[in-house]
Amino acid sequence: MSQFAGLVNLGSRVLEVLPKVGISSDAPTDRGAFLRLLHAAKRVPIHSRGAVGHSVERRTLLGVFISAFLDEVALLARGGLLRQYKSLNDDLRVVRGRLQVPRQAAVHGMRPDVISCRFDELSIDNPRNQVLRAAMAVVRPWIESVHAARRLTELSAAFDGAGLVRDAVALIDGLPPDRRALRYQAAIRWAELILRLLSPNLRSGGSAAPEMLFDMNRLFEAAIAANLKERVRPLGIDLAVQDTSHELEERDSHPAFKLKPDMVLRRNDSLAAIADTKWTAVAPGRSGRIEPEASHVYQMNAYASAFGCEDFYLIYPWNPSIDSAAPSVFHLKRRGGAPVRLNVVCVDVGSDDFPARHGSFYFLDGSV
């Protein structure tokens, strides 16, 4: 569980599992770091219209997620909900659509004041609006403030015309593609996460404790890759994620032992650097430098033997214990060639732009 963070539904309570980013961090700090990583990695559509501030950090994760969901629903309501034509049968005072002759003769033959009609009506009662209404109904018991409760009530009223379905998750799985509904993507994504976590219908399935958990290794990797990609683009450097262009052996034209570094940086088709992220707490060794785990170094050495690159980076989350660490650069021996440089960089996930607090990325100054 130490490598996962998020929420677990225990029935009457939701357990909040926070990542540990430092040896003395508190819950708001850990929560803020987690939210920043989620935002940067685009794992959930959170805080698309603002940064992660102290007021957000001090709320529960569930409260933040519900608020983000309501933000997306409010955006849809202001822009107008998706409407589709729906065929209806009704007994009216005036003709609308087509007259239902068989029913009129059988049921209302002696009542000229009632006309049986079949007509098409533009309605918000469609699967996407039904999913959002179901998610709003599910979050109601978990609302944490009067302001949020009032907001939920106002938004729910806008969806009164949509049917309240029992199994909204199954409805999500069957949603057909619709270009008119592209603006619904963020709200539907939130609705799916919330329904899978909180919907009581799911508790009879195979999962005893529904959860919304994220692998911190993957989350850290995706967040750093997205951040670096934006920073190196103006320098003419391309960043590829999970590159599979090299292997340790090729026998009879069949590659073996495929390598897949987290990030490969190229400038004009020439290798500039290779980097791997590790969600691991590090500390200075006896030398005063940060000494990575041996397995991490062996992995980078394998990359060096296949890629022929000179600069390699191991990227870790920063924590206060490494403030006094010496520059951590290692020169790995390479038979038949000059040593390669392995740089240890620690980034501060407690800041929105993920600055390097230990070590540096040489390619960012344009020298690579």
Side-chain angles (χ1 to χ4, degrees):
M1 184 66 77
S2 61
Q3 294 298 312
F4 289 82
L7 300 170
V8 178
N9 189 345
L10 301 180
S12 60
R13 294 188 179 184
V14 171
L15 176 66
E16 188 176 85
V17 182
L18 296 177
K20 299 302 177 186
V21 296
I23 60 173
S24 61
S25 58
D26 56 1
T29 300
D30 294 339
R31 189 178 297 114
F34 182 50
L35 292 171
R36 288 181 182 90
L37 291 169
L38 285 173
H39 173 53
K42 297 180 173 58
R43 286 297 184 266
V44 294
I46 191 169
H47 301 298
S48 57
R49 285 169 289 280
V52 180
H54 292 295
S55 61
V56 174
E57 293 176 353
R58 297 192 176 280
R59 296 164 58 188
T60 66
L61 277 180
L62 182 58
V64 173
F65 290 167
I66 290 175
S67 179
F69 167 60
L70 295 181
D71 285 345
E72 298 296 342
V73 174
L75 195 63
L76 290 176
R78 287 197 297 270
L81 298 180
L82 181 66
R83 296 174 182 269
Q84 296 175 344
Y85 280 103
K86 185 177 182 180
S87 293
L88 300 174
N89 295 307
D90 202 358
D91 298 328
L92 307 175
R93 297 293 180 180
V94 296
V95 176
R96 182 178 179 186
R98 290 177 296 173
L99 176 65
Q100 297 290 83
V101 176
R103 175 176 169 81
Q104 182 69 30
V107 180
H108 304 304
M110 303 300 292
R111 294 199 57 186
D113 61 318
V114 178
I115 305 172
S116 181
C117 302
R118 181 178 181 84
F119 55 92
D120 293 334
E121 184 173 71
L122 200 57
S123 169
I124 67 168
D125 191 19
N126 58 70
R128 285 178 171 81
N129 289 330
Q130 291 169 2
V131 167
L132 297 182
R133 185 182 179 189
M136 284 189 284
V138 164
V139 302
R140 188 174 296 277
W142 303 93
I143 293 295
E144 299 175 348
S145 68
V146 174
H147 170 72
R150 183 168 56 250
R151 190 179 183 206
L152 177 61
T153 300
E154 293 171 353
L155 289 173
S156 297
F159 286 80
D160 279 344
L164 187 57
V165 295
R166 181 172 181 82
D167 190 357
V169 173
L171 202 59
I172 294 173
D173 295 336
L175 286 177
D178 189 341
R179 287 182 298 176
R180 298 175 304 162
L182 291 177
R183 59 194 183 92
Y184 269 67
Q185 288 180 343
I188 293 293
R189 172 61 175 154
W190 269 123
E192 181 179 10
L193 290 170
I194 288 170
L195 287 166
R196 291 190 185 279
L197 175 69
L198 300 178
S199 175
N201 293 337
L202 299 179
R203 297 177 191 171
S204 59
S207 177
E211 41 79 12
M212 189 196 300
L213 293 174
F214 298 85
D215 185 332
M216 290 305 302
N217 282 299
R218 297 299 183 195
L219 186 61
F220 184 51
E221 172 196 325
I224 297 303
N227 179 270
L228 277 180
K229 186 174 290 188
E230 293 299 319
R231 295 167 68 183
V232 300
R233 185 178 291 122
L235 303 176
I237 298 176
D238 294 321
L239 187 153
V241 178
Q242 298 291 312
D243 185 281
T244 57
S245 61
H246 289 68
E247 61 282 326
L248 286 179
E249 182 191 43
E250 184 173 345
R251 181 180 300 177
D252 300 327
S253 299
H254 294 290
F257 308 112
K258 274 283 187 182
L259 298 173
K260 193 164 62 173
D262 292 343
M263 288 169 275
V264 175
L265 297 101
R266 293 182 174 90
R267 173 182 283 153
N268 299 326
D269 295 327
S270 297
L271 283 172
I274 292 175
D276 253 23
T277 58
K278 306 292 182 184
W279 184 259
T280 303
V282 291
R286 293 182 179 180
S287 65
R289 299 184 298 178
I290 296 172
E291 297 178 0
E293 293 182 18
S295 61
H296 297 171
V297 178
Y298 298 155
Q299 184 179 15
M300 303 307 286
N301 196 47
Y303 296 157
S305 67
F307 279 84
C309 186
E310 295 183 359
D311 274 287
F312 295 81
Y313 292 84
L314 278 171
I315 306 173
Y316 298 96
W318 173 86
N319 68 75
S321 71
I322 58 178
D323 268 344
S324 59
S328 305
V329 181
F330 302 85
H331 295 86
L332 307 183
K333 295 179 180 180
R334 185 169 54 170
R335 180 173 293 182
V340 298
R341 184 167 59 182
L342 175 61
N343 308 274
V344 175
V345 177
C346 298
V347 298
D348 184 3
V349 295
S351 297
D352 288 324
D353 56 349
F354 301 139
R357 295 284 293 271
H358 176 83
S360 62
F361 297 105
Y362 294 108
F363 49 81
L364 288 179
D365 62 11
S367 62
V368 173

